[in-house]
Amino acid sequence: MKIILVGHGMVGHKFLEELQQHQIPGAEVTVLCEEARTAYDRVHLSEFFSGKTADDLSLVAPGFFAESGFKLRIRSRAAAIDRRARTVTTQDGETLHYDKLVLATGSYPFVPPVKGHDRDQCFVYRTIEDLEAMKAAGAISRKGVVVGGGLLGLECAKALRDLGLETHVVEFAPRLMAVQVDDDGGRILREKIEALGVHVHTSRNTTEITDGMTARHRMVFADGSHLETDMIVFSAGIRPRDELARQNALAVGARGGIAIDDHCRTSDHDIYAIGECAAWRDQTFGLVAPGYDMARITARHLAGQTDAVFSGADMSTKLKLMGVDVASIGDAHGKTTGSRSFRYVDECKQIYKKIVVSADSKRLIGAVLVGNADEYGTLLQLALNGIALPTEPEFLILPASDGKAKPGLGPDALPDSAQICSCNNVSKGQICTAVGDGATTIGELKACTKAGATCGGCVPLVTQIMKAEMVKRGMAVNNHLCEHFPYSRQELYHLIRVGGIKSFEDLLARHGSGLGCDICKPTAASIFASCWNDFVLQGELASLQDSNDYFLGNIQKDGTYSVVPRMPGGEVTPEGLIAVGQVAKTYGLYTKITGGQRVDLFGARVEQLPAIWEELIAAGFESGHAYGKSLRTVKSCVGSTWCRYGVDDSVGLAVELENRYKGLRAPHKIKFGVSGCTRECAEAQGKDVGIIATERGWNLYVCGNGGMKPRHAELIASDLDKAALIRLIDRFLMFYVRTADRLQRTSTWRDNLEGGLDYLKAVLIDDSLALGAELEAQMQHVVDTYQCEWKTAVSTPEVRQRFRTFVNDPQPDARIVFVKERGQIRPARAEERDHATADSMTV
Amino acid sequence: MSNETLNWTAVCKVGDILPGTGVCALIDDHHVAIFRLGTDTFYAIDNIDPRTGVSVLSRGLIGNLGEHLVVASPIYKNHFDLRTGACLEAPEHSVRTHRVQVEGDEVLVALS
């Protein structure tokens, strides 16, 4: 059976993934993809402006086409269909035969037919190419207008604001998000959006776009007023791409879209249509969830399973627009006969909540939430599952007051069949089963059920269900550090700081049991260092350090250590380089340049370390903390000092930051990068903390990672001056130190942070937990009490004498043997070593 | 086995071993790890980690896992029972234990 899929967007790709699972014998699948790239995540398109790349947004797993055997044709548009011959002709004139044809052509942005809509610097918001063009235009514009105040229009306004433009939204209707939100909700939404610096113009009908006086364009409105702007983005709705159907006399819906039946078949039963191009009972669906549903149903139908039928879709939505929560459920406007509503308005906090209940007040049929959508999950489940309402449903949206608990809807109240993730059609039952099969983190659940993997709106509910199920199965949500402490690292941190605990003995006596182990000892040592910053090898603290921290070096496979002197910002003088080279030469060490812009010296025996460091300290070097779970390096490009393109002094800032945060002990290592311009030569967006110079200051990115699981850092604040930047980094690092799990890098910490980036911004920038000053003070304490550990170690006799191979003999470990390779030493392999030591070893 | 038949070697002073840590002693070309738990309890095992052939066990962190008093090898963190030498993760990588005693200020070890 030859199957042709026309269109490789989100829904098209979902169809392929489903089809691959069915493994239909003899199926030959060809995909015609009009765009220059394969399917990507259009739901999160705006993240392209906050640092995500086209690759990040891709939905296609590496090797997908090779594995599935599906043939992909990029930049290949289906130009015509011949239903009688059952062929598709591409725009290049190639004709392909099909037995079954699936149309997933999506939709196109509607541009109002106003005069001048096709002028330069007028855009639509649909593809990555559109965004690239907008970005380029944004760089040379001061002012931008979005035409359309709907869901997508507001996303687009955020993008323009992120580009640093004075942003305006022009809406034809009298309120924003007219479809999802009522008048009162629209008013609150407008106030919130305007407070964020976006200008909103409602009830404006654009009649013409002409040359402007103060900017490129002038938009003239029907009421005689006008607005000038440098660029315009049209986001006034979408229209189904049904032209292939119209050309071939396939039935179309009353308001456009290719008409389909419950099996997603068009009026020609060999042709299916799915996603935004399809019309089911004259209705089209501009959300991804119904499209995914159609993709599943079509794949099953092609596999001979006719039981799956499309039965419409819930169009409820919850989203965050520029940090403002907006949600709409079911009959948001109360159009159902006899329905009544409850409303709650808080004009101080700018919150609006409304629920619409059935005539008998037994069922929830709709809701609108603006400014705070915490109840969305509960309300949606009440509406979708027809769960009987409490007798006083108003308490569902009223703020909790003393003595009156909010009637929440615990996971237990939901039936197993309740659909939790509508994007990927995952039920409560499936989540519980996956938990039973061992998925006990939100990341694992996402991977195996796909719940929460698309829009992410259901993640809080999925988390609740997961935790409830774990408790039910006796898998007690155990985040205890180890058998000695029934606390998480975060709890232990709190106990240590609040209790002023400074020794492990005291900690164990007050909060633990047993003797401790190789998990809790270094964790406690790290927390002591973060809180009190005493010398790590002082007294009892020394016995808590693992080998790396005890010998202040990185242990290697042969028991020798590597030595890394700090070179802040990767800057080193010729004298410094010569001194490092001289030390390496004197002690016969292997030298290698690290990824963090410094030099690593390998092959030092324990007893050599103090002498090596004495020489390095004399040459002006300090410990590089390469052995610690602490700040490693601040990588930088040469910046404006040397580079033709640099816009600020990245090296200077890198040196300053490295000197500020050196020695800070944390749950895991921390890496920084500072780039002097957007070319990003320091790869700052792959670091825990990344800083990029802009014309107006510094952009701060956080929680990036390279290594095993690369993650792009996310923009948390733009155009900061240096003082603001340092204050924000202080808060970020200390908040991470306080709350992360043991050995959790900032990227994983961020992925597991409930509330995500918005929460992090609220805590760090808006100071929602009123922690800012405390975090800054704690960081200042660490900065003020910094000492070079190696300097202290070599000058403290009782510490220095611990650097010995044998307690009773000054000779070195004869088992450490090196051979030469490419002009330097390397550890001998076992057979080489046995040969070399055969004479000296007698036991 | 009585003390008379054992060959005791004085390796260091009690104060040479920081409580909660270990040191390595060279006895007849043999590498021995000696650990000090608290102020007055000592254990000795081979210093060479059988999994890697590297002489490092004295540099591991000590503590307990359930009933076992253990040291964790600094290379791959496998645990050795200080009283029996058994490697908890892989019994085939177990090590020998040795006798330790303190006489006055001296730490003495007898190879087994």
Side-chain angles (χ1 to χ4, degrees), chain A residues 571-602:
Chain A
E571 198 175 66
V572 58
T573 62
E575 291 75 19
L577 264 185
I578 289 168
V580 170
Q582 191 54 53
V583 166
K585 212 168 165 184
T586 306
Y587 294 90
L589 306 176
Y590 168 82
T591 57
K592 191 171 190 307
I593 306 297
T594 71
Q597 300 188 330
R598 42 196 195 172
V599 183
D600 205 339
L601 313 174
F602 290 78

Short mmCIF file of all heavy atoms in Angstrom, two decimals, chain A residues 571-602:
data_model
loop_
_atom_site.label_atom_id
_atom_site.label_comp_id
_atom_site.label_asym_id
_atom_site.label_seq_id
_atom_site.Cartn_x
_atom_site.Cartn_y
_atom_site.Cartn_z
N GLU A 571 42.35 34.20 31.00
CA GLU A 571 43.40 35.16 30.72
C GLU A 571 44.66 34.72 31.45
O GLU A 571 44.61 34.38 32.63
CB GLU A 571 42.95 36.53 31.21
CG GLU A 571 43.70 37.69 30.64
CD GLU A 571 43.09 39.00 31.09
OE1 GLU A 571 43.14 39.29 32.30
OE2 GLU A 571 42.55 39.72 30.25
N VAL A 572 45.80 34.72 30.76
CA VAL A 572 47.05 34.32 31.41
C VAL A 572 48.20 35.09 30.76
O VAL A 572 48.21 35.31 29.55
CB VAL A 572 47.25 32.79 31.32
CG1 VAL A 572 47.26 32.30 29.88
CG2 VAL A 572 48.50 32.32 32.06
N THR A 573 49.12 35.53 31.60
CA THR A 573 50.26 36.29 31.06
C THR A 573 51.30 35.31 30.52
O THR A 573 51.33 34.14 30.91
CB THR A 573 50.94 37.11 32.18
OG1 THR A 573 51.43 36.19 33.17
CG2 THR A 573 49.96 38.08 32.81
N PRO A 574 52.21 35.80 29.66
CA PRO A 574 53.30 34.92 29.20
C PRO A 574 54.10 34.39 30.38
O PRO A 574 54.44 33.21 30.40
CB PRO A 574 54.15 35.84 28.33
CG PRO A 574 53.22 36.93 27.90
CD PRO A 574 52.22 37.11 28.99
N GLU A 575 54.35 35.24 31.39
CA GLU A 575 55.11 34.79 32.56
C GLU A 575 54.35 33.66 33.27
O GLU A 575 54.95 32.69 33.72
CB GLU A 575 55.31 35.95 33.56
CG GLU A 575 56.25 37.04 33.09
CD GLU A 575 55.64 37.97 32.04
OE1 GLU A 575 54.38 38.01 31.92
OE2 GLU A 575 56.39 38.64 31.31
N GLY A 576 53.04 33.82 33.34
CA GLY A 576 52.22 32.80 33.99
C GLY A 576 52.31 31.48 33.23
O GLY A 576 52.50 30.41 33.81
N LEU A 577 52.19 31.57 31.92
CA LEU A 577 52.25 30.36 31.10
C LEU A 577 53.59 29.67 31.26
O LEU A 577 53.68 28.45 31.37
CB LEU A 577 52.04 30.72 29.62
CG LEU A 577 50.65 30.59 29.04
CD1 LEU A 577 50.69 30.88 27.55
CD2 LEU A 577 50.07 29.18 29.27
N ILE A 578 54.66 30.49 31.28
CA ILE A 578 56.01 29.92 31.42
C ILE A 578 56.12 29.23 32.78
O ILE A 578 56.66 28.11 32.88
CB ILE A 578 57.08 31.02 31.25
CG1 ILE A 578 57.11 31.44 29.77
CG2 ILE A 578 58.46 30.53 31.69
CD1 ILE A 578 57.90 32.71 29.49
N ALA A 579 55.58 29.88 33.83
CA ALA A 579 55.65 29.29 35.17
C ALA A 579 54.93 27.95 35.21
O ALA A 579 55.42 26.97 35.77
CB ALA A 579 55.07 30.26 36.20
N VAL A 580 53.75 27.90 34.60
CA VAL A 580 52.99 26.64 34.58
C VAL A 580 53.79 25.59 33.82
O VAL A 580 53.93 24.44 34.26
CB VAL A 580 51.60 26.86 33.93
CG1 VAL A 580 50.92 25.53 33.67
CG2 VAL A 580 50.73 27.73 34.82
N GLY A 581 54.37 26.01 32.68
CA GLY A 581 55.18 25.08 31.88
C GLY A 581 56.38 24.58 32.67
O GLY A 581 56.73 23.40 32.62
N GLN A 582 56.99 25.49 33.43
CA GLN A 582 58.17 25.12 34.21
C GLN A 582 57.83 24.08 35.28
O GLN A 582 58.55 23.10 35.47
CB GLN A 582 58.77 26.38 34.85
CG GLN A 582 60.15 26.16 35.45
CD GLN A 582 61.13 25.57 34.43
OE1 GLN A 582 61.30 26.10 33.34
NE2 GLN A 582 61.73 24.43 34.78
N VAL A 583 56.66 24.28 35.93
CA VAL A 583 56.23 23.32 36.95
C VAL A 583 56.00 21.95 36.30
O VAL A 583 56.44 20.91 36.80
CB VAL A 583 54.93 23.81 37.64
CG1 VAL A 583 54.28 22.68 38.43
CG2 VAL A 583 55.23 24.99 38.56
N ALA A 584 55.34 21.97 35.14
CA ALA A 584 55.05 20.71 34.45
C ALA A 584 56.36 20.00 34.10
O ALA A 584 56.49 18.78 34.24
CB ALA A 584 54.23 20.97 33.20
N LYS A 585 57.32 20.79 33.67
CA LYS A 585 58.61 20.23 33.26
C LYS A 585 59.33 19.66 34.48
O LYS A 585 59.85 18.54 34.44
CB LYS A 585 59.44 21.35 32.63
CG LYS A 585 60.35 20.86 31.54
CD LYS A 585 60.91 22.03 30.75
CE LYS A 585 62.09 21.54 29.92
NZ LYS A 585 62.71 22.65 29.21
N THR A 586 59.37 20.43 35.56
CA THR A 586 60.07 20.00 36.78
C THR A 586 59.52 18.67 37.29
O THR A 586 60.26 17.78 37.68
CB THR A 586 59.92 21.07 37.88
OG1 THR A 586 60.34 22.32 37.35
CG2 THR A 586 60.76 20.71 39.10
N TYR A 587 58.19 18.56 37.29
CA TYR A 587 57.59 17.36 37.89
C TYR A 587 57.18 16.32 36.84
O TYR A 587 56.56 15.32 37.17
CB TYR A 587 56.38 17.77 38.76
CG TYR A 587 56.82 18.58 39.94
CD1 TYR A 587 56.89 19.98 39.86
CD2 TYR A 587 57.23 17.97 41.11
CE1 TYR A 587 57.34 20.74 40.92
CE2 TYR A 587 57.68 18.72 42.19
CZ TYR A 587 57.74 20.10 42.09
OH TYR A 587 58.19 20.83 43.15
N GLY A 588 57.54 16.59 35.58
CA GLY A 588 57.26 15.62 34.53
C GLY A 588 55.77 15.37 34.31
O GLY A 588 55.33 14.24 34.13
N LEU A 589 54.98 16.43 34.33
CA LEU A 589 53.53 16.26 34.23
C LEU A 589 53.05 16.35 32.79
O LEU A 589 53.66 17.01 31.96
CB LEU A 589 52.84 17.35 35.07
CG LEU A 589 53.29 17.43 36.53
CD1 LEU A 589 52.62 18.60 37.23
CD2 LEU A 589 52.97 16.12 37.27
N TYR A 590 51.94 15.68 32.53
CA TYR A 590 51.28 15.75 31.22
C TYR A 590 50.43 17.02 31.20
O TYR A 590 49.73 17.31 32.17
CB TYR A 590 50.39 14.52 31.05
CG TYR A 590 49.42 14.58 29.88
CD1 TYR A 590 49.84 14.28 28.58
CD2 TYR A 590 48.09 14.94 30.08
CE1 TYR A 590 48.94 14.34 27.52
CE2 TYR A 590 47.20 14.98 29.03
CZ TYR A 590 47.63 14.69 27.74
OH TYR A 590 46.75 14.75 26.71
N THR A 591 50.50 17.80 30.13
CA THR A 591 49.71 19.04 30.09
C THR A 591 48.69 19.02 28.98
O THR A 591 48.94 18.53 27.89
CB THR A 591 50.62 20.27 29.88
OG1 THR A 591 51.36 20.08 28.68
CG2 THR A 591 51.56 20.48 31.04
N LYS A 592 47.52 19.56 29.31
CA LYS A 592 46.46 19.62 28.31
C LYS A 592 45.64 20.88 28.56
O LYS A 592 45.42 21.26 29.71
CB LYS A 592 45.55 18.38 28.42
CG LYS A 592 44.60 18.26 27.25
CD LYS A 592 43.86 16.93 27.26
CE LYS A 592 43.10 16.70 25.97
NZ LYS A 592 42.21 17.79 25.61
N ILE A 593 45.17 21.49 27.46
CA ILE A 593 44.31 22.66 27.59
C ILE A 593 42.88 22.16 27.84
O ILE A 593 42.40 21.26 27.16
CB ILE A 593 44.32 23.49 26.29
CG1 ILE A 593 45.74 23.84 25.87
CG2 ILE A 593 43.45 24.74 26.43
CD1 ILE A 593 46.49 24.71 26.84
N THR A 594 42.20 22.75 28.81
CA THR A 594 40.84 22.29 29.14
C THR A 594 39.81 23.04 28.30
O THR A 594 40.11 24.04 27.67
CB THR A 594 40.51 22.57 30.62
OG1 THR A 594 40.34 24.00 30.78
CG2 THR A 594 41.60 22.09 31.54
N GLY A 595 38.58 22.55 28.35
CA GLY A 595 37.47 23.22 27.66
C GLY A 595 37.12 24.53 28.34
O GLY A 595 36.45 25.37 27.76
N GLY A 596 37.57 24.73 29.56
CA GLY A 596 37.23 25.93 30.31
C GLY A 596 38.33 26.98 30.23
O GLY A 596 38.42 27.84 31.09
N GLN A 597 39.16 26.89 29.22
CA GLN A 597 40.20 27.89 28.97
C GLN A 597 41.24 27.95 30.08
O GLN A 597 41.56 29.02 30.60
CB GLN A 597 39.57 29.27 28.74
CG GLN A 597 38.62 29.27 27.56
CD GLN A 597 38.13 30.65 27.22
OE1 GLN A 597 38.02 31.51 28.07
NE2 GLN A 597 37.82 30.87 25.94
N ARG A 598 41.76 26.81 30.50
CA ARG A 598 42.92 26.83 31.38
C ARG A 598 43.78 25.61 31.10
O ARG A 598 43.53 24.86 30.16
CB ARG A 598 42.50 26.95 32.85
CG ARG A 598 41.32 26.10 33.25
CD ARG A 598 40.78 26.60 34.58
NE ARG A 598 39.89 25.65 35.21
CZ ARG A 598 39.43 25.81 36.44
NH1 ARG A 598 39.80 26.85 37.15
NH2 ARG A 598 38.61 24.92 36.97
N VAL A 599 44.79 25.39 31.93
CA VAL A 599 45.73 24.31 31.67
C VAL A 599 45.62 23.28 32.78
O VAL A 599 45.60 23.64 33.95
CB VAL A 599 47.18 24.84 31.59
CG1 VAL A 599 48.14 23.71 31.23
CG2 VAL A 599 47.29 25.98 30.59
N ASP A 600 45.52 22.02 32.40
CA ASP A 600 45.42 20.93 33.37
C ASP A 600 46.76 20.17 33.35
O ASP A 600 47.26 19.83 32.28
CB ASP A 600 44.26 20.01 32.96
CG ASP A 600 43.69 19.26 34.15
OD1 ASP A 600 44.40 19.14 35.17
OD2 ASP A 600 42.54 18.78 34.05
N LEU A 601 47.32 19.94 34.54
CA LEU A 601 48.59 19.22 34.65
C LEU A 601 48.31 17.87 35.30
O LEU A 601 47.83 17.81 36.43
CB LEU A 601 49.56 20.02 35.53
CG LEU A 601 49.70 21.52 35.22
CD1 LEU A 601 50.59 22.19 36.26
CD2 LEU A 601 50.27 21.72 33.84
N PHE A 602 48.60 16.78 34.60
CA PHE A 602 48.25 15.44 35.07
C PHE A 602 49.48 14.66 35.54
O PHE A 602 50.58 14.89 35.06
CB PHE A 602 47.60 14.63 33.94
CG PHE A 602 46.23 15.09 33.57
CD1 PHE A 602 46.06 16.21 32.78
CD2 PHE A 602 45.10 14.40 34.00
CE1 PHE A 602 44.78 16.64 32.42
CE2 PHE A 602 43.83 14.82 33.64
CZ PHE A 602 43.67 15.94 32.85
#
